[in-house]
Amino acid sequence: MTSLECARAAFAALCENSPANHCRLEGSVLDAGKEVPGGWSSAQTLTEGLYGGKAIVNVSQQRLGEEQVPTVEILCDDPVLASESFTSREGLVGLQEADGAWALAYGENAGGARGNVVLAVPASLCAVVVEAAAAVPRAVSYLLEQGVPQEEILWGWSCCPVVLPSLDGEAVRAAHRAAIAAHGVCSIWVRSTRADLETLARNWGDFRLRLHCLEDGKTYGASSGTGAV
């Protein structure tokens, strides 16, 4: 299937399973965390759709000190597509059809958007899962802005903790970003050596970013310093 077909299929699956996943369908808009609670499986299906079916999305756990916390892990085969689909347009992120309708969109308000839209507020389970899942597209957008050619960006992997939501959406958003900055990690594989790979990796401060270069077999920006993979 194409990325658009995968996005449409994800929305269809969300709609089909909406009652069991604490979601609610109204026309072509699915509430997955605005007026209703939403759930883990619906957030995972949504994330897979936002990646256009080009990623494996695991919602599991990781140990931080003595605690185990929910975690979103992404293994992405098309990081550039992910960076495009997570770019906000009309207050939404997602994949658009050629005519501008959404194959799958996600945001807080549908507005006058055409197509398949999923809604959730910041203080929702859906929102915090998507926030954790956005590490790869955020890192790739940064690399593209810094002049790395998109054909040089091959694959992505990320692992980010999920801060469980409360009714205070802004507090949840701030806590989640702090947790991702402290414990999130993202690896991007690039094809060719560049003189600035180490600088690019270390200058990204939102979470730990590692750049793996296929040409020289080195990892740049690892916590232990640059070294052979």
Side-chain angles (χ1 to χ4, degrees), residues 39-226:
W40 291 107
S41 58
S42 58
Q44 181 175 4
T45 300
L46 170 63
T47 303
E48 290 168 348
L50 292 175
Y51 272 85
K54 307 301 181 184
I56 298 171
V57 179
N58 295 317
V59 180
S60 56
Q61 71 282 324
Q62 71 180 114
R63 183 173 292 279
L64 299 180
E66 297 299 317
E67 301 292 331
Q68 283 187 316
V69 298
T71 301
V72 175
E73 181 184 29
I74 304 290
L75 299 99
C76 178
D77 280 336
D78 195 340
V80 174
L81 171 69
S83 72
E84 295 169 350
S85 65
F86 275 77
T87 299
S88 179
R89 299 180 295 278
E90 305 172 18
L92 301 169
V93 299
L95 288 87
Q96 281 182 301
E97 308 278 5
D99 64 356
W102 292 97
L104 177 65
Y106 161 78
E108 188 171 351
N109 296 290
R114 295 183 296 116
N116 303 321
V117 180
V118 178
L119 300 182
V121 296
S124 69
L125 182 59
C126 179
V128 294
V129 169
V130 172
E131 179 79 16
V136 167
R138 286 169 58 194
V140 171
S141 293
Y142 161 69
L143 294 178
L144 293 172
E145 290 169 359
Q146 297 303 310
V148 177
Q150 65 179 38
E151 63 271 14
E152 291 286 301
I153 301 172
L154 301 180
W155 311 297
W157 170 85
S158 68
C159 183
C160 290
V162 171
V163 174
L164 295 180
S166 71
L167 295 179
D168 186 343
E170 290 306 313
V172 170
R173 195 191 303 247
H176 202 140
R177 290 180 176 170
I180 290 176
H183 305 291
V185 59
C186 179
S187 293
I188 303 293
W189 279 259
V190 297
R191 190 185 306 276
S192 301
T193 306
R194 288 169 51 113
D196 60 349
L197 286 180
E198 179 72 16
T199 300
L200 288 174
R202 292 196 180 278
N203 283 352
W204 174 251
D206 285 13
F207 42 78
R208 189 186 308 163
L209 176 60
R210 300 182 297 205
L211 301 178
H212 306 291
C213 179
L214 270 66
E215 185 174 63
D216 62 14
K218 293 181 179 180
T219 295
Y220 295 88
S223 57
S224 57
T226 303

Side-chain angles (χ1 to χ4, degrees), residues 7-20:
R8 290 193 293 266
F11 185 78
L14 287 168
C15 295
E16 181 179 356
N17 297 311
S18 59

Side-chain angles (χ1 to χ4, degrees), residues 14 18-19 21-26 29-36 38:
L14 287 168
S18 59
N21 292 336
H22 308 294
C23 299
R24 183 172 64 201
L25 179 65
E26 296 181 359
V29 175
L30 182 78
D31 186 341
K34 190 169 184 179
E35 302 295 334
V36 297

